[in-house]
Amino acid sequence: MMFHDRDEAGWRLVERLRGSRVEKPLVLAIPRGGVEVGAAIARGLGAELDVVLSRKLRSPHQPELAIGAVTENGEVYLNHFAAAMTDVGSSFIEAERRRQLDEIDRRKTAIRAVRPRAEIAGRTVILTDDGIATGATMIAALKMVRAAGAREIIVAVPVGAPDRIDALRPLCDRVICLFEPIDFWAVGQFYRHFEQVSDTRVIELLREYGLPATKWEHPVEAHA
C-alpha cells in the first residue's frame, strides 16, 4: 500500500472510522506530520482538532532511533530495548528529556497562542500520527490522554510496524492501522510525497480545524 500524501492517508482512515459511535470526538495529532493526517480526519468526521505534544528521546549515536519519548507533562516512556543499551544511562536520559522538553515548550507557546488546549475528559479521543515506527511517541501520548480522563481512545494511523502496532492494543480501546507491512523500515517509505511539515503549517491547520462544539455534527464529504 502506498499513500499519495498525508492528506490522502487521513481520508482513508476516515472511511474506516465513519459509522463508529463516538462521544464528542476529539482528534489529537502528534506534530508535525500527524497534524496533516489529523486535519483530514477532523474534516471527515466533523470533529475538533488539537495536538498532543510528545517528542522522541533520541539514541546517542543514532538520532533517528527513538529510545523512548517524553510528553508535555514531563513523563518519560522508554522503549523495551533502551535498558540493554550500554551508552544510555540515567544522566543521558535526563539530559535528552530536558532538550526535548525545551522544544515542546517552544511549540506549546506558539500553538497555545492560537489554539487553547482542548478538553479531553469524557470524550472519544482519536490519536493519530503519519505512521508508527518504534511507537514511543504514541505510547507516551496514550498514557497522558488516558490520565486526562478520555472516555474512549482510538489510535488511527495509516501505517505501522506490526510488532509496534500490537504493543499499542492493550493501551487503548481500539487500533485502526491501514497497513502493517512486514518489511517496514521507515514511515516515509509508504508515501509518494513525504515533505517535512513546518510549524507554520501546523498552526494553519489548527486555526482552520480546531472546530467549536457546534460543528461536531457537520462532517464534510469524503475526499475525492
Side-chain angles (χ1 to χ4, degrees), residues 21 23 27 41 43 55 58-59 69 72 76 84 95 110 112 118 120 146 151 160 170 172 185 201 207:
R21 295 179 62 87
E23 185 72 26
V27 178
I41 295 172
R43 294 199 305 274
R55 295 272 299 175
R58 303 167 299 177
S59 169
E72 59 185 288
V76 169
R112 296 309 172 204
I120 292 175
R146 181 67 75 189
R151 178 180 180 273
C172 61
W185 53 269
R201 177 63 174 158
R207 282 186 188 275

Side-chain angles (χ1 to χ4, degrees), residues 81-95:
F81 55 79
M85 300 176 71
T86 57
D87 52 354
V88 177
S90 58
S91 59
F92 172 83
I93 291 171
E94 178 58 23

Side-chain angles (χ1 to χ4, degrees), residues 13 16-17 20 154-158 169 174-178:
L13 286 166
R16 292 281 297 274
L17 285 160
S20 299
I154 301 171
V155 171
V157 291
R169 298 188 194 280
R174 184 181 174 194
V175 174
I176 298 173
C177 182
L178 302 179

Side-chain angles (χ1 to χ4, degrees), residues 3 5 8 21 25 28 31 46 56 67-68 79 85 99 108 123 132 139 147 153 156 180 184 191 206 213:
F3 304 103
D5 57 17
E8 185 209 16
R21 295 179 62 87
L28 287 183
K56 72 179 181 182
I67 60 171
N79 274 328
M85 300 176 71
R99 279 191 290 269
K108 189 186 332 186
R123 302 178 68 174
I132 301 293
I139 289 174
I153 305 174
E180 300 179 41
F184 183 101
Y191 289 84
L206 289 173

Side-chain angles (χ1 to χ4, degrees), residues 31-151:
R32 288 176 290 193
V35 179
E36 288 198 330
V37 177
I41 295 172
R43 294 199 305 274
L45 299 181
E48 186 179 1
L49 175 67
D50 198 2
V51 297
V52 56
L53 295 172
S54 177
R55 295 272 299 175
K56 72 179 181 182
L57 302 176
R58 303 167 299 177
S59 169
H61 303 300
Q62 293 178 267
E64 292 305 310
L65 175 64
I67 60 171
V70 60
T71 55
E72 59 185 288
N73 62 4
E75 294 295 320
V76 169
Y77 163 78
L78 293 178
N79 274 328
H80 61 287
F81 55 79
M85 300 176 71
T86 57
D87 52 354
V88 177
S90 58
S91 59
F92 172 83
I93 291 171
E94 178 58 23
E96 178 65 4
R97 172 182 174 273
R98 291 182 180 277
R99 279 191 290 269
Q100 298 309 325
L101 280 174
D102 285 345
E103 176 60 18
I104 285 175
D105 286 343
R106 183 192 69 78
R107 288 187 177 181
K108 189 186 332 186
T109 298
I111 288 170
R112 296 309 172 204
V114 301
R115 175 50 171 104
R117 181 184 290 122
E119 179 63 38
I120 292 175
R123 302 178 68 174
T124 295
V125 174
I126 300 167
L127 266 173
T128 192
D129 203 350
D130 52 17
I132 301 293
T134 68
T137 54
M138 182 61 77
I139 289 174
L142 274 166
K143 291 177 179 292
M144 189 175 80
V145 171
R146 181 67 75 189
R151 178 180 180 273

